[in-house]
Amino acid sequence: MNKLLDETLSIETAERINSRASTPFDNAYKAALSTEGARYIQGFLAFVGKPYRPIEHSWIELGDASEVRIVDPTLPHLNKNPQELWYFAAQKLTVKKLKAIIEESKEDYPEDEPLPIYGEPPYEYYGDMMLGGQDYLAAYQAAEAKCKEINELNLERN
């Protein structure tokens, strides 16, 4: 499957939803609600430089199985070269499923933020980050390996 970051649509979406720098989950949620055919994705982002490890992140995806486009409404706030961003999906939700989970979360846990969503308990833990099962662990490990690879290559070039 081919996944390309759509820079133009990411920036347009960020402007349309008034995305904020430190809220990738909320940004992706708003983008999913306002973009026809979108799927809400949670996972990890790998890139060259600090913090030299994956960060938990969220975005949306558009398209069918033959060509999936990544739309990241937080992209303008990342201050990274878009060609040096790698996305590792841990969980994909349709807008319908996303809305249902958010509603249920608000009802059952009104004092907690409903995002990010970690799937069905029991949860697994990795370091100080809560992960939602084997899919999260696999995505984190793949992103972690990519971070090591690209940051070692970057150190060798300098």
Side-chain angles (χ1 to χ4, degrees), residues 16 20 68 74 94 97 132 156:
R16 187 179 75 241
R20 296 190 322 253
V68 175
T74 309
T94 64
K97 177 85 172 160
E156 289 170 5

Side-chain angles (χ1 to χ4, degrees), residues 47-66:
F47 49 83
V48 174
K50 292 181 180 180
Y52 305 108
R53 60 178 168 72
I55 59 168
E56 197 170 16
H57 197 66
S58 191
W59 59 94
I60 63 172
E61 289 182 356
L62 300 170
D64 58 22
S66 65

Side-chain angles (χ1 to χ4, degrees), residues 39-51:
R39 290 172 302 283
Y40 172 89
I41 313 296
Q42 280 182 194
F44 297 93
L45 184 59
F47 49 83
V48 174
K50 292 181 180 180

Side-chain angles (χ1 to χ4, degrees), residues 12-100:
E12 289 171 4
T13 302
E15 290 171 358
R16 187 179 75 241
I17 66 162
N18 297 317
S19 76
R20 296 190 322 253
S22 60
T23 61
F25 302 102
D26 288 335
N27 293 341
Y29 173 68
K30 290 176 189 171
L33 294 180
S34 68
T35 307
E36 189 173 329
R39 290 172 302 283
Y40 172 89
I41 313 296
Q42 280 182 194
F44 297 93
L45 184 59
F47 49 83
V48 174
K50 292 181 180 180
Y52 305 108
R53 60 178 168 72
I55 59 168
E56 197 170 16
H57 197 66
S58 191
W59 59 94
I60 63 172
E61 289 182 356
L62 300 170
D64 58 22
S66 65
E67 185 175 325
V68 175
R69 291 181 297 148
I70 293 172
V71 177
D72 185 350
T74 309
L75 180 65
H77 308 290
L78 295 176
N79 299 317
K80 301 284 180 191
N81 178 345
Q83 285 76 41
E84 294 180 347
L85 296 173
W86 290 269
Y87 293 81
F88 296 86
Q91 180 168 231
K92 300 178 181 194
L93 299 169
T94 64
V95 171
K96 182 179 179 180
K97 177 85 172 160
L98 176 62
K99 285 179 175 180

